[in-house]
Every structure is written in structure tokens, then in C-alpha cells.
Amino acid sequence: MAFHITECIRKTKNKQPLTNEEIRELVRGITKEPLIEEYQLAAWLMAVCFQGLTDAETAALTMAMRDSGQTMHWDLDGPVADKHSTGGVGDKTTLILAPIVASGGVYMPKMSGRGLGHTGGTIDKLESIPGFRTALSPDEFLKQVREIRCAVAMQTGDLAPADKKLYALRDVTETVDSIPLICASIMSKKLATGADHILLDVKVGSGAFMKNDADARELARLMLAAAKADGKDCTAVLTDMDRPLGMCIGNALEVREAVGVLNGETDSELGQFCLTLAGELLHQAGIGTAEQCRSMAQEIVETGAAADRFARMIGAQGGDASVVRHPEKLKLSRCERTLTAQQAGWIAGMQSEEIGRASVLLGAGRMTKKDSIDFGAGIRLHVKYGDEVGRGDALLTMYADKESQLDEAEAKLRAAITVAEQKPEERPLIREILRTGADT
Ligand code: URA
């Protein structure tokens, strides 16, 4: 039967499911002639936002988007794993996880992105290391993965190109926040990368796309189902984004913090979180039991193996590997200002979205696609959620190129941090873990 996009729009608008064939044709028309007009795609996206898609439609959309470009196949002598975060503030886990997991015998070819809105991106963080190259050719990427077992590079244009076009359209038509569309966007890229074991870090809270547990669980359920339909082993960890992850936000600052963990500072909340995730991924890849893998991750850090591997990865990608032993070489911006508590109490709220936006004002992120980043800009927190503070205690230090940027960010940061008279209830960083298998 001939394909008509208007028929797809009508069906989705009326909550009638599309056939697999219709979804394949729709995705084909995003990147291949005859192209579907963008206004018609936008209308369909909006219909999806209002009416949703069935699980079968979401899986079909994910697979069709996966197949819209190159799909990678690894021929290596060990398990291949990948990790994805749905986007957060202060999230430097990839920098810590990749060298630990690679040192544990698992290949980790990682494609990452740049910052988006108030959320940071791994590629920007790595580029704060002098000389570091994130644009690797497919051959360079493969060679490095074979030799070092980990590489972190910019997503190539050939991987899931339908998502690239659709995402740009969603961004300007207010159709980003649809759970089936987010699932298809993320999983099409993950499945195209070809890893057998996938760990998804689904952020929940004010600083995340998913603002509540129910939505995060639904997104995780759909992503696990898509992975399962493609024969992949997948785990989704729901993690709290009602506070930034770790104590630093900003590119060079976050690399410094990540290097601290790799050099043995694992007692922090960030350190413990990364060891848990690394253990989970090693376990998923069949290296040992969950307990063995958690201990192995700890040992890999303690022996210095993870720091060494990170240094090798930086060196292979043209960066200055000495920053692993001397993180102070990562320059911070020249203006700094410390904010102090105006009253005594407990840190009862840290609105991570606002903290992320303040870091953008300081220069750590982009306001428009063309903006360049000030790698040394950002925020170092001196307190975390639940800490007790006295009046005048340091809350955080801001770094920026200009005093005026500090002024702008200061107001935002003051409003983002709540000091309360009562101790707030404890909130674990990991809220829930879901796995392919029984729950999908
Ligand atoms: N990240 C993606 O890659 N896609 C989305 O839709 C949301 C977050």
C-alpha cells in the first residue's frame, strides 16, 4: 500500500497504532528522498506528544531509527559494554567508569555528546584537557578500543542520522519531552553502537528530563524493552537529579573531580556511586558476581590501574596525560567568588536545574549552539544535600572569566540552595535498579 504521511498523522492523532511498515516508511522519509516535509513531521511529533505510542510502535520506531545509518559490529575477544546517562548536572561518571570497566577486561567504546541546555556533556569535559581530540575517525576509534579497551569520542553523523534530524526538529517544536520519543532517540543510538551490555543511568528530578519517579520508570521500562527486542542485556539505574552529582559543575572542574576518584578518593558519594555502577557493568558483562565485581572495581582504583588507563586513553587521543597525576594543571577561570551561608541550618534543597543554568551563565555551557565554552568556568560546592552549616560557612565557589558573570550567577545560586532549620529526610542517590528479563 502506498505510504502517506497524512495518514500516519491522522492515525496517531486518533490513537490508532501505525503498522511496522508505516513506521519504517516514516523514518525512511526523514533522511532519504522523497523527504517528508518538516511541517508534517512536526505535526506527527506533536500528535505523539499528546497521544503517545504503543510499546510495539516505540520498539519499531527505535529499530527503524537505529537502521537509518551505520550500525557498528565489534569483533573483539571480550565483552563490549556501553553506558548512557539521560543528562544531568555535574555528571562525570563516564570519565570514571570507562577506565575502571576497561581495566576489568571489558571493552568500552563510548560515543558521547556535548552539553545540552543546563546539562553538561562528556565531550566538552574531555576537551578541557589540553590537546584532547574527540573527533576520531572510525579506524582510530577501533584501533584505540582494541589497544586500550576504552575510547570516548564524539558521535559520528552516520550513526542514527534520523535521530539527528528528528532531535533538531523536536528541539524547536516543543516535542522533546515525550517518553516514547526520548526512548527511540536514546536507544536508536545505543543499539547502533553495537554493545552487548548497556547500562542506562536514568536521571530523575528537577535537573533531569524526567521530573518524577513514575515517568523515569516508564522511560526505563520502554528502553529496557527496546534493548531486549534487539537481544541486548540492559540495566537501568534510576538516580536522583534533585541535586547535582558530586561537588563540581563545569568542565575542567569535573575532570579534576573525576581524576580525584580515579586516584583513590572513593569515599565520596560520587566515588561510591561510580564503583556501584562500574561493578554493575562488570557483572552485566559476565566478569563475576555482583559482589565480586564491586570489589574488583574498588581494587582497580586502589592499585592505580584505572588512573593509568585513563592516562593512556588521554594520551592516545592527543591530550596531556600528565593531568591525571597533576590535575591542578587543568586551568580554572581567573575570577572567583565564594558564597557563604546567610543563616545556620541544614542544606535541604539544591535545585540542580538552576545550578546548571548558573554554570552556563559562568561560561561552562552554551547559550546558543555557536557559543564557545570557557573550560575553566563553573562551580565547586563545599556542601551537599543534608549537610549542617553554620552562618558564614562556605557554600560554594564560582569561577568565571568576568566579575559580571559572577554577579549574574550569584543571584541564581542563592535562590537554588535552601538552608532550612530542620534536617531534611535522607534521599539515596540510587532510587531503583531495573533489568532486562522479568520486568520488561
Ligand atoms: N537524549 C537524547 O539523546 N535524546 C533525547 O530525546 C533526550 C535525551
Side-chain angles (χ1 to χ4, degrees), residues 112-409:
S112 288
R114 296 196 181 279
L116 195 64
H118 67 281
T119 65
T122 302
I123 291 299
D124 295 328
K125 293 172 212 221
L126 283 168
E127 287 181 356
S128 73
I129 301 171
F132 196 98
R133 281 192 315 120
T134 54
L136 301 184
S137 70
D139 283 350
E140 284 175 316
F141 190 61
L142 183 64
K143 181 167 177 284
Q144 185 177 323
V145 171
R146 275 192 198 289
E147 285 173 5
I148 306 178
R149 273 197 233 116
C150 59
V152 183
M154 201 147 46
Q155 188 106 29
T156 71
D158 296 343
L159 217 78
D163 174 61
K164 202 166 177 214
K165 270 194 80 176
L166 219 50
Y167 195 92
L169 197 54
R170 287 165 62 209
D171 203 19
V172 292
T173 54
E174 267 303 317
T175 52
V176 171
D177 63 349
S178 146
I179 293 176
L181 294 180
I182 294 176
C183 167
S185 168
I186 292 176
M187 292 311 288
S188 59
K189 289 175 288 201
K190 286 296 105 183
L191 299 179
T193 313
D196 303 311
H197 308 280
I198 303 167
L199 179 68
L200 300 167
D201 178 3
V202 183
K203 306 284 189 197
V204 198
S206 70
F209 282 114
M210 298 296 111
K211 304 291 182 204
N212 60 60
D213 281 343
D215 285 352
R217 213 172 284 129
E218 174 63 3
L219 175 61
R221 186 187 70 76
L222 283 174
M223 293 199 293
L224 289 172
K228 195 171 172 182
D230 201 25
K232 306 291 186 193
D233 155 59
C234 186
T235 295
V237 184
L238 269 51
T239 67
D240 188 38
M241 203 14 83
D242 269 328
R243 60 207 200 230
L245 182 59
M247 305 301 279
C248 291
I249 302 108
N251 301 288
L253 276 161
E254 290 192 41
V255 177
R256 283 184 179 212
E257 190 179 15
V259 164
V261 174
L262 290 172
N263 281 330
E265 290 165 24
T266 52
D267 286 345
S268 61
E269 195 172 48
L270 172 71
Q272 291 298 304
F273 176 69
C274 288
L275 291 182
T276 301
L277 257 50
E280 181 68 40
L281 204 41
L282 289 167
H283 171 56
Q284 271 183 265
I287 300 297
T289 64
E291 294 74 39
Q292 285 167 340
C293 289
R294 177 70 163 67
S295 311
M296 183 192 257
Q298 176 96 43
E299 209 176 291
I300 287 169
V301 173
E302 279 169 5
T303 57
D308 287 348
R309 195 162 297 258
F310 191 46
R312 281 178 68 196
M313 185 186 105
I314 295 173
Q317 294 187 232
D320 177 1
S322 70
V323 299
V324 175
R325 295 280 165 250
H326 299 285
E328 70 284 355
K329 282 188 170 179
L330 291 161
K331 291 236 169 46
L332 300 184
S333 304
R334 62 196 175 96
C335 301
E336 66 173 86
R337 187 181 302 167
T338 295
L339 302 190
T340 56
Q342 290 168 327
Q343 64 183 80
W346 277 267
I347 304 295
M350 294 191 127
Q351 286 181 36
S352 38
E353 178 161 356
E354 288 307 295
I355 295 174
R357 290 194 193 289
S359 76
V360 174
L361 291 176
L362 291 167
R366 298 176 188 82
M367 307 259 196
T368 73
K369 270 172 103 172
K370 290 190 195 125
D371 285 352
S372 58
I373 281 191
D374 175 3
F375 290 123
I379 301 157
R380 187 196 297 280
L381 300 169
H382 301 299
V383 290
K384 57 183 193 317
Y385 175 81
D387 280 355
E388 190 173 6
V389 290
R391 188 164 183 267
D393 283 355
L395 294 179
L396 58 90
T397 302
M398 303 177 284
Y399 299 87
D401 189 43
K402 297 191 203 86
E403 288 289 331
S404 58
Q405 291 172 298
L406 298 178
D407 295 338
E408 255 192 288

